Structures are given as structure tokens and as C-alpha cells.
Amino acid sequence: MELPLHVAWSGMTVYDLGKSRQRMGLYRTVLHEGLRDDLPRFLNQDLLL
């Protein structure tokens, strides 16, 4: 998955969601840097729970 620059402005922008470490990094980045509209777009609610 590729994150837009307004979310991933200081690091990786492309993540392999099949790799748990990269998936955790994507979630961390979206939760810290993403806008409210980015959360449902990039995160899986069931996986977070």
C-alpha cells in the first residue's frame, strides 16, 4: 500500500501489508500523522480491535 505524502511525509511511503512489521509501521504512521478521513481509508477496524 502506498500512503500519500501528507501522511508519510518523513519516511517510507510504500508498505507491504503481508509483512507484519511493515503493517505495524503503516498503522503507526496513519494513527500519528493521518487525518480523520485517512483512518477508515487505510486502517482495518477489525484488525485494530
Side-chain angles (χ1 to χ4, degrees):
M1 176 177 292
E2 186 169 359
L3 293 177
L5 289 177
H6 76 271
V7 178
W9 54 271
S10 67
M12 284 179 58
T13 57
V14 178
Y15 294 82
D16 179 350
L17 299 182
K19 296 180 179 180
S20 62
R21 282 188 167 239
Q22 287 194 28
R23 187 171 53 246
M24 288 188 306
L26 177 134
Y27 274 55
R28 185 179 308 113
T29 300
V30 172
L31 289 170
H32 285 249
E33 305 293 341
L35 303 174
R36 174 177 260 155
D37 291 341
D38 294 323
L39 300 180
R41 180 176 173 196
F42 296 111
L43 304 180
N44 179 314
Q45 180 181 358
D46 294 332
L47 186 59
L48 280 172
L49 295 174

